[in-house]
Amino acid sequence: MPADSMLVAAGVVLMFVVFAAVLAWGDFQTRPKQLAQQTDARRRPF
């Protein structure tokens, strides 16, 4: 297998891994449980 093909394949795989990591991070940031905790923490006492 030529080196160019291996580099392209590695680049494509890396792009999918980064995309999956970004989606997982976004899902973790927007979970309903965490959003409920954040809104309670920012509630003002008055």
Side-chain angles (χ1 to χ4, degrees), residues 1 3 9 15-17 19 21-22 25-27 29 37 41 43 46:
M1 182 183 247
M15 286 186 347
F16 277 109
V17 168
F19 184 65
V22 169
W25 177 78
D27 183 45
Q29 292 294 318
Q37 289 175 353
R43 191 172 293 164
F46 53 86

Side-chain angles (χ1 to χ4, degrees), residues 1-15:
M1 182 183 247
D4 293 342
S5 298
M6 291 174 55
L7 287 175
V8 170
V12 170
V13 169
L14 182 64
M15 286 186 347

Side-chain angles (χ1 to χ4, degrees), residues 18-38:
V18 169
F19 184 65
V22 169
L23 287 180
W25 177 78
D27 183 45
F28 180 74
Q29 292 294 318
T30 57
R31 288 179 188 252
K33 183 179 178 182
Q34 287 185 346
L35 289 176
Q37 289 175 353
Q38 288 177 357

